[in-house]
Amino acid sequence: MGYFKEFFSGIYNLLLGLKTTAKYLPERAVTLQYPKEKWPMPERSRGIVVLLSDPDTGELNCTACLLCQKACPVAAITITQAKNETTNKRYPKTFEVNNTICCFCGLCEEACNFDAIKLTGLYEFATFDKESLIFQKEKLQELGRNVKYEKKRKSVAKKPAAKSETTETKPQSAAPSDPPKGEEA
Amino acid sequence: MLELTGIIQWVGGIVTSISNSLGLPQIIIDIILILLIAVAIFAFLMLMALYLIWMERKVSGHIQDRLGPMMTGWHGWAQTIADALKLLQKEDIIVANADRKVHYWAPIVVFTACFAVYAVIPFGKGMLAADVNIGILYILSITTFTTLSLLMAGWASNNKYALLGGMRSASQIISYEVPLTLSILGVVMMAGTLSMGKFVELQGPYIWKWYVWPQFIGFCIYLIASTAELNRTPFDLPEAEQELVAGFNIEYSGMKFAMFFLAEFLNMFTVGAVTTTLFLGGWNPPLPALAFIPSWVWFLGKSLFIVFVIMWFKWTYPRLRVDHLLSFAWKVLLPISFINIILTAIGITIF
Amino acid sequence: MTDVTKNIQLSEEEFLLNMGPQHPSTHGVLRLVLKLRGEFIEDLTPHVGYLHRSIEKIAENRTYAQFMPFTDRIDYCASMPCNLAWALAVEKLAGIEVPPRAQYLRVLMTELNRIASHLIYLGVMSLDLGAFTPFLYTFREREWILDLFEMTCGQRLTYNYMRIGGVSRDLPPEFYQSCKNFTKVFLKKVDEYEALFTYNPIFLTRTKDIGILPIAVGLEYGASGPTIRGSGHNWDLRKVEPYSSYEKFDFNVPLGTKGDVWDRYMVRVQEMRESCKIINQALDGLPEGEIKAKVPGVFKPPAGEVISRIEAPRGEMGYYLVSDGSTKPYRVKIRTASYGNLQVLRYLSRGWKIADLVAIFGSLDVVLPEVDR
Amino acid sequence: MNKEQIENKITQKFGSAIEIQKTKNPEPFIYVSIEKYIEVCEFLKTDPDMCFEYLFQLGGVHYPDDRFEIALTLSSHKHKHELVLKVKLPHDNPKAPTATTVWEAANWYEREAMELFGIQFEGHPDPRPLLLYDDWNYGYPMRKGWTGPDFIPMPDKTKGGDD
């Protein structure tokens, strides 16, 4: 009797499998036809690194404080500091991101107190030579020109380390000329 | 009106009249006609194989919630042609210490064998290349050549995976040949003939005269055993991608690999065609009222449905292990097919 | 007529088969040298190290926070537990109290990742057994989880989500609903996988009574996780020594009975259901508050040595961390689950066929970067 | 058994061979002299009160002044306690008896320590290299201060180039 029970349960389960696969046959595909269709990248998506500019003045937010450079675990960022003689403000003379070794961890973005550097959802940067993957300041600024970003809260003294990354951050009028606070020199 | 019989006779008539006017002897005319038929079938089969590969991709894609090839043409219809062109350009690699002659002949044997089967397949009304009176026996013996070629490929490749695959294929195909033949025996007993054309005639014109109803067990056994003969999942042990990488054809590249690949799909269509002829009424429509659809459409539709079912199996089931595979053949399929034969014999005697 | 067979010496000889490093069923780059007699495996030697990236050496040259992205790369199928174990080790060393919300978020993410990892197991196991379709079904559901991760931390594979003292970001507003939907739909999908597998006669013949692992042998070789739970050994670090507030969650530890391939499969399938339960509880009981404890910018933990152990999807994973009081760890020894589980393979596969070896190896769910590190 | 009980029991049994390392972390860290190493291991595994049947990990550590130690993390699934056992190795030629006779799991861990730290495990059944490639002859990479052909030290990025 056991033999027949096994036999028929086997047939039943085989048919169950066929039913499962047949169920999906007429269904719409879940895949995307990649070059034609593209997935909308989420807000927090960590793609290529860009430098953000102030939307009003069009200048870089970066003050060359080197925090991102220190935070980078693979040493992909290289900054040369310089000082503007007239306004007495520091700015990055060169800002180089080596995308061949960048691991897109986002630690630089977290380290930055000035909304200067951000990882964006851009990802299509395949090239045939490694040289063109080392982005200079101008390219990074160009890429970050239209990137929308939420201003981080500037009161670093109140919360020294916690990056209060709440989703509904009120847009604050934080001028980029604010003096750097809470920065370990 | 859409029947191709008229066209075939018309072409045949033209060839005959031209040859007669040239004063060629009868034997030459026959040879020309046979060659023409062979070329026509060959062209059809090549198209069929390309289409089947595309169909497999589409079926698997849709079963797996994706679309399959989409880039080349409408829903990627030209994908297989592109692949074939790529394979044609590839270098033909023969590994060192391989048995070069056997390595060379193996794909040719399998391809020739699967092509030769179509001499006796009735594609439609009046579309049978050679109505030999032992048609089904011919098919059974010709398809066995596959074993030989797989064994040749496995042996000649000088590769351990290929050798294991070849050995597996030999034991597997020889084992499954037995229930396969016995399952056909039921139909043969009912029909009292071995001719493929007769089978079709006997199953017309109503759906309830098809042999699939009295011979349902035989039909199931035939489908299972022929899936095993085809080396397709769940019986694809000679290839067994996860164990033997690609089994017997691991060392084949370029056009030789393509020949194995095409032969696999052609064999699949062969199984569909034979199943249609034996069990599903061949080119007969289910009811005489549906005869306005040409017979070859019915034939192709039924065959492709069987092919689809085999594909459906492939994309649903895991693979058997080699000892289970053989014990399944000898311990399950063989007794059931004997029972089927006995039941058929009793049935024939009573009715 | 003379007997021709008399003059032919029929002899058997073992033959060596080199399986891998590039082989479809070695899950990455593992090389197995098999000693075969026919199709039977007489002996087997695993060769690992093709993915050795010396993460332990890298750790000695990075600060504690900088090492977090590297822990993602230890086990790419389940990065969150690797992150978590590292965070736990450093927090234990420095005595940092993690806020309850962060603890819940960690549990939530780890359990989601456990499901994702088990889905890979299920898919790859089915692929090993020759069924292609379930692989894509499981990856379809895994994509959903990865979308949830991407929504939260921005990456699909290398999450880098945990921080020393908490997590990097809070949940986005749309996460709750999407995750709830996922758990609801996912339970139905698990039934579907089971319809394709659990009592499928072909699957049963391939997995039942194959590769039986006795508990004592498993412990001796250092097997852990579902591999040893499949044998019926009730040992789950989430229950035994709860970390990250696992003691507040209500879940069962599924156990097998015999320890064969099928039991290990069944344990994982049921673990996915249990993880769903935990995820629902974590979502509903998510406490308000901070997501990260206060950690100084230049982080210098005291000198000392700690062990952190967690229950990763593949078993026990942990770090042995030696600190000399500087900003960089002095020595990090990474203990991964696959390391122990792979060592059992030799014991399990002797006497079985090549096809069984594939099934057994698939059931151990070894991820090679975890072994090589 | 809690930390103190384990420590007391081992100290009673082996006396001078045992040295308790006082740390604030809950696990007992115990140093054992190299002569008694295997004996202690066997005791830990077989004693019904200890029952450390599970070797969690075994790893070498290179301390300053070229001092090598191996650290074993043991856990008992029966009594649900754990222990870190450490062995100080001889200075000039780090060498230890193999623990594979006690736990099979030690096999690969010891092979790894052998090739990465240069610690010799005497009597190891299979002392081939495990992780590094076959013709590796650049020394023992996990030792402090090791440099090899492919070793790129982390560049010092704490200062930016000033203009």
Side-chain angles (χ1 to χ4, degrees):
Chain A
M1 221 50 228
Y3 177 83
F4 287 103
K5 202 183 160 199
E6 203 180 307
F7 184 81
F8 286 112
S9 110
I11 289 178
Y12 169 75
N13 281 294
L14 285 176
L15 294 177
L16 199 65
L18 284 179
K19 189 191 133 204
T20 310
T21 42
K23 203 182 97 188
Y24 285 106
L25 190 59
E27 256 182 42
R28 244 191 93 252
V30 294
T31 49
L32 286 181
Q33 296 302 309
Y34 163 61
K36 289 179 195 157
E37 306 166 21
K38 274 175 196 163
W39 195 258
M41 300 303 277
E43 170 64 33
R44 294 177 180 182
S45 165
R46 301 204 308 253
I48 215 103
V49 178
V50 299
L51 286 178
L52 300 174
S53 319
D54 191 89
D56 305 325
T57 59
E59 283 177 21
L60 283 179
N61 290 347
C62 182
T63 59
C65 64
L66 302 185
L67 276 180
C68 50
Q69 183 177 311
K70 276 181 246 172
C72 184
V74 288
I77 303 175
T78 316
I79 306 172
T80 322
Q81 289 172 319
K83 203 165 224 175
N84 191 329
E85 292 301 330
T86 50
T87 57
N88 213 12
K89 251 176 68 188
R90 271 186 303 172
Y91 71 96
K93 185 153 178 276
T94 62
F95 196 112
E96 186 183 293
V97 176
N98 188 346
N99 280 310
T100 55
I101 55 174
C102 177
C103 67
F104 305 106
C105 61
L107 289 179
C108 50
E109 186 186 339
E110 271 174 49
C112 186
N113 290 326
F114 301 95
D115 301 322
I117 190 164
K118 192 180 187 311
L119 277 80
T120 56
L122 309 171
Y123 52 91
E124 287 165 317
F125 286 90
T127 58
F128 284 101
D129 56 336
K130 283 185 176 180
E131 287 303 310
S132 55
L133 282 172
I134 300 171
F135 288 2
Q136 299 298 334
K137 188 175 93 176
E138 291 72 28
K139 171 118 194 212
L140 293 167
Q141 188 174 11
E142 201 49 52
L143 286 170
R145 195 65 83 179
N146 297 318
V147 173
K148 291 203 173 58
Y149 60 95
E150 293 162 355
K151 292 241 165 77
K152 286 183 188 175
R153 293 178 64 186
K154 300 303 288 274
S155 51
V156 201
K158 224 158 75 184
K159 278 185 188 169
K163 304 287 173 291
S164 55
E165 194 70 31
T166 44
T167 42
E168 54 278 312
T169 311
K170 289 171 202 89
Q172 293 186 346
S173 58
S177 57
D178 274 6
K181 285 183 240 162
E183 173 198 341
E184 315 100 19
Chain B
M1 58 217 132
L2 280 166
E3 289 291 353
L4 296 178
T5 327
I7 300 173
I8 292 167
Q9 280 166 0
W10 178 66
V11 172
I14 289 176
V15 172
T16 322
S17 59
I18 291 174
S19 314
N20 281 338
S21 63
L22 289 172
L24 292 172
Q26 188 59 36
I27 180 103
I28 304 282
I29 299 169
D30 285 351
I31 287 171
I32 289 171
L33 280 174
I34 286 169
L35 277 177
L36 270 179
I37 290 169
V39 167
I41 290 178
F42 186 76
F44 165 77
L45 286 180
M46 290 322 285
L47 279 177
M48 202 65 211
L50 291 182
Y51 171 71
L52 283 178
I53 293 168
W54 177 78
M55 176 179 163
E56 166 117 304
R57 287 173 160 177
K58 281 305 192 190
V59 167
S60 70
H62 283 273
I63 277 182
Q64 294 165 355
D65 260 10
R66 53 195 181 89
L67 291 172
M70 287 294 280
M71 286 297 152
T72 44
W74 181 83
H75 279 249
W77 67 268
Q79 187 65 46
T80 330
I81 297 170
D83 285 347
L85 287 176
K86 186 204 80 176
L87 284 173
L88 270 173
Q89 292 169 26
K90 281 183 100 172
E91 188 192 350
D92 176 34
I93 301 165
I94 300 177
V95 285
N97 296 328
D99 193 334
R100 295 182 82 92
K101 271 184 192 159
V102 183
H103 190 270
Y104 179 80
W105 277 103
I108 296 175
V109 168
V110 69
F111 200 71
T112 317
C114 77
F115 177 54
V117 168
Y118 285 88
V120 294
I121 302 268
F123 286 95
K125 208 178 276 177
M127 287 166 73
L128 179 53
D131 192 4
V132 287
N133 54 6
I134 51 156
I136 190 67
L137 203 59
Y138 170 78
I139 289 175
L140 285 175
S141 41
I142 288 289
T143 46
T144 323
F145 267 95
T146 320
T147 328
L148 184 66
S149 90
L150 299 197
L151 201 55
M152 279 163 75
W155 180 258
S157 291
N158 186 29
N159 184 309
K160 288 168 183 174
Y161 289 112
L163 183 64
L164 280 173
M167 292 301 162
R168 278 181 179 192
S169 88
S171 60
Q172 172 183 338
I173 297 182
I174 289 168
S175 307
Y176 274 86
E177 201 73 30
V178 180
L180 183 88
T181 316
L182 289 177
S183 68
I184 292 175
L185 205 55
V187 177
V188 172
M189 281 160 75
M190 284 186 74
T193 175
L194 289 170
S195 153
M196 295 296 271
K198 280 273 168 49
F199 284 131
V200 181
E201 279 168 32
L202 284 167
Q203 292 182 73
Y206 298 103
I207 187 167
W208 51 84
K209 290 185 93 176
W210 293 2
Y211 286 146
V212 64
W213 311 120
Q215 287 291 324
F216 189 71
I217 302 171
F219 173 72
C220 291
I221 292 170
Y222 181 78
L223 210 57
I224 293 168
S226 58
T227 313
E229 290 258 308
L230 288 171
N231 298 326
R232 284 183 67 83
T233 322
F235 309 101
D236 64 339
L237 292 153
E239 290 188 35
E241 191 180 306
Q242 275 69 35
E243 298 144 30
L244 304 183
V245 192
F248 61 89
N249 63 23
I250 188 168
E251 294 292 358
Y252 280 88
S253 61
M255 209 50 215
K256 283 187 193 165
F257 168 74
M259 278 166 98
F260 273 115
F261 202 64
L262 290 175
E264 184 190 330
F265 281 87
L266 280 185
N267 276 332
M268 206 152 79
F269 187 69
T270 313
V271 167
V274 173
T275 317
T276 307
T277 314
L278 290 180
F279 296 100
L280 298 177
W283 42 259
N284 281 315
L287 295 167
L290 290 167
F292 64 88
I293 299 172
S295 59
W296 53 274
V297 174
W298 283 112
F299 175 82
L300 278 185
K302 288 171 190 172
S303 306
L304 287 179
F305 174 73
I306 296 294
V307 169
F308 166 75
V309 169
I310 293 171
M311 285 175 181
W312 190 12
F313 286 163
K314 168 156 183 170
W315 299 108
T316 305
Y317 294 137
R319 183 185 303 120
L320 279 163
R321 207 175 70 194
V322 73
D323 52 337
H324 292 133
L325 176 97
L326 297 183
S327 67
F328 179 67
W330 295 108
K331 289 182 188 164
V332 180
L333 288 186
L334 197 63
I336 294 178
S337 43
F338 274 127
I339 291 169
N340 181 41
I341 289 171
I342 293 167
L343 289 178
T344 316
I346 292 170
I348 290 171
T349 338
I350 291 171
F351 302 107
Chain C
M1 203 176 131
T2 53
D3 191 2
V4 268
T5 55
K6 247 181 200 169
N7 298 327
I8 301 167
Q9 279 288 318
L10 282 175
S11 64
E12 278 187 348
E13 56 180 293
E14 354 180 279
F15 91 118
L16 284 175
L17 187 69
N18 198 1
M19 201 166 161
Q22 268 78 39
H23 187 279
S25 66
T26 52
H27 298 201
V29 278
L30 170 71
R31 182 169 147 231
L32 298 169
V33 178
L34 309 176
K35 205 182 270 178
L36 297 176
R37 193 172 281 280
E39 283 217 13
F40 288 94
I41 295 159
E42 295 229 309
D43 202 359
L44 161 157
T45 321
H47 290 255
V48 298
Y50 292 92
L51 273 171
H52 180 56
R53 293 147 297 165
S54 59
I55 289 185
E56 290 173 5
K57 187 77 181 173
I58 291 173
E60 293 172 10
N61 294 304
R62 300 291 188 280
T63 63
Y64 286 91
Q66 276 181 346
F67 185 55
M68 193 61 85
F70 290 95
T71 59
D72 291 331
R73 273 83 176 169
I74 293 169
D75 176 359
Y76 51 59
C77 297
S79 299
M80 288 284 185
C82 301
N83 278 351
L84 175 61
W86 175 245
L88 286 176
V90 181
E91 282 153 13
K92 201 166 161 188
L93 185 68
I96 297 168
E97 195 69 36
V98 182
R101 186 176 175 87
Q103 292 195 357
Y104 265 64
L105 287 177
R106 284 176 172 188
V107 170
L108 179 64
M109 290 302 161
T110 324
E111 290 305 319
L112 274 174
N113 210 328
R114 187 185 307 279
I115 293 181
S117 169
H118 283 350
L119 283 175
I120 293 189
Y121 155 78
L122 201 56
V124 173
M125 174 83 182
S126 74
L127 205 57
D128 283 347
L129 296 180
F132 201 102
T133 303
F135 175 74
L136 284 135
Y137 289 172
T138 57
F139 269 59
R140 180 186 62 202
E141 267 70 69
R142 180 169 171 267
E143 280 298 297
W144 196 338
I145 298 178
L146 296 192
D147 286 344
L148 290 173
F149 284 148
E150 196 182 19
M151 200 190 274
T152 313
C153 59
Q155 281 282 26
R156 302 173 76 80
L157 205 60
T158 52
Y159 311 117
N160 188 21
Y161 181 62
M162 314 279 175
R163 291 288 178 275
I164 294 155
V167 295
S168 67
R169 289 178 174 205
D170 209 336
L171 298 179
E174 65 271 26
F175 185 90
Y176 179 84
Q177 199 49 48
S178 186
C179 193
K180 275 277 171 191
N181 283 348
F182 170 75
T183 49
K184 210 162 49 184
V185 174
F186 181 69
L187 287 175
K188 281 179 205 148
K189 300 285 182 187
V190 176
D191 294 339
E192 239 166 55
Y193 308 146
E194 288 219 69
L196 281 170
F197 278 135
T198 310
Y199 296 107
N200 183 315
I202 301 174
F203 185 72
L204 283 178
T205 53
R206 285 301 299 275
T207 54
K208 271 277 182 198
D209 299 327
I210 307 284
I212 293 172
L213 175 68
I215 297 175
V217 177
L219 291 177
E220 179 75 26
Y221 278 95
S224 56
T227 306
I228 192 91
R229 284 201 288 276
S231 307
H233 184 60
N234 192 350
W235 182 259
D236 190 327
L237 285 178
R238 292 176 293 172
K239 284 278 187 201
V240 179
E241 40 183 66
Y243 51 89
S244 192
S245 70
Y246 260 111
E247 67 277 0
K248 292 176 190 156
F249 293 93
D250 169 42
F251 62 98
N252 302 323
V253 179
L255 295 177
T257 48
K258 217 186 282 171
D260 53 8
V261 175
W262 193 80
D263 274 341
R264 293 196 275 275
Y265 153 81
M266 215 48 204
V267 164
R268 287 199 173 88
V269 169
Q270 284 168 12
E271 261 183 25
M272 291 201 282
R273 295 209 171 97
E274 296 299 324
S275 290
C276 261
K277 250 160 79 179
I278 299 177
I279 289 164
N280 272 330
Q281 290 170 31
L283 275 176
D284 293 335
L286 195 63
E288 291 297 319
E290 287 288 314
I291 55 157
K292 194 162 179 278
K294 289 188 171 66
V295 176
V298 178
F299 178 66
K300 276 190 182 176
E305 302 180 12
V306 285
I307 296 278
S308 77
R309 311 206 296 171
I310 62 157
E311 185 74 28
R314 284 170 188 78
E316 290 179 26
M317 114 155 251
Y319 294 83
Y320 170 59
L321 171 60
V322 182
S323 155
D324 60 350
S326 70
T327 54
K328 293 172 180 176
Y330 187 77
R331 163 93 170 106
V332 180
K333 167 78 192 164
I334 305 162
R335 196 274 184 197
T336 52
S338 300
Y339 205 75
N341 292 351
L342 186 58
Q343 287 197 59
V344 197
L345 181 67
R346 182 154 176 256
Y347 171 85
L348 285 181
S349 55
R350 266 181 289 193
W352 295 101
K353 293 197 180 66
I354 298 180
D356 296 322
L357 168 70
V358 170
I360 292 167
F361 183 67
S363 78
L364 295 177
D365 192 17
V366 173
V367 168
L368 262 297
E370 224 189 359
V371 179
D372 300 343
R373 301 185 305 287
Chain D
M1 278 179 129
N2 61 22
K3 183 183 173 181
E4 280 75 30
Q5 282 170 316
I6 295 171
E7 285 172 352
N8 289 340
K9 178 131 197 203
I10 301 176
T11 323
Q12 272 173 21
K13 179 96 171 92
F14 291 99
S16 60
I18 300 294
E19 183 192 329
I20 311 284
Q21 191 187 16
K22 292 290 170 207
T23 55
K24 69 186 179 68
N25 286 306
E27 291 99 348
F29 277 77
I30 291 174
Y31 275 106
V32 61
S33 75
I34 189 144
E35 292 81 25
K36 293 271 184 181
Y37 166 46
I38 293 300
E39 208 177 309
V40 172
C41 284
E42 262 158 18
F43 167 74
L44 287 174
K45 192 188 177 190
T46 48
D47 187 79
D49 284 344
M50 297 292 178
C51 217
F52 286 106
E53 73 276 72
Y54 191 79
L55 175 70
F56 184 69
Q57 65 95 8
L58 185 157
V61 189
H62 184 190
Y63 284 101
D65 337 318
D66 264 356
R67 180 162 59 88
F68 285 95
E69 286 178 11
I70 48 175
L72 287 80
T73 312
L74 311 172
S75 85
S76 165
H77 287 191
K78 195 172 166 197
H79 301 302
K80 300 183 178 173
H81 53 218
E82 47 197 69
L83 171 74
V84 178
L85 190 72
K86 301 184 77 181
V87 191
K88 281 181 183 156
L89 301 182
H91 253 259
D92 44 346
N93 185 15
K95 204 185 272 183
T98 178
T100 44
T101 47
V102 189
W103 298 280
E104 278 291 339
N107 193 326
W108 281 16
Y109 290 113
E110 286 183 354
R111 278 170 72 180
E112 192 185 323
M114 247 188 278
E115 66 170 337
L116 297 182
F117 284 95
I119 299 169
Q120 295 308 315
F121 288 92
E122 288 170 329
H124 191 280
D126 185 19
R128 287 175 299 126
L130 181 74
L131 296 176
L132 303 177
Y133 53 83
D134 289 346
D135 43 359
W136 174 271
N137 51 7
Y138 306 111
Y140 304 110
M142 280 302 281
R143 289 190 176 179
K144 289 279 169 184
W146 171 86
T147 49
D150 296 330
F151 181 71
I152 306 164
M154 178 81 175
D156 183 23
K157 288 270 185 176
T158 49
K159 290 185 187 69
D162 227 326
D163 197 40

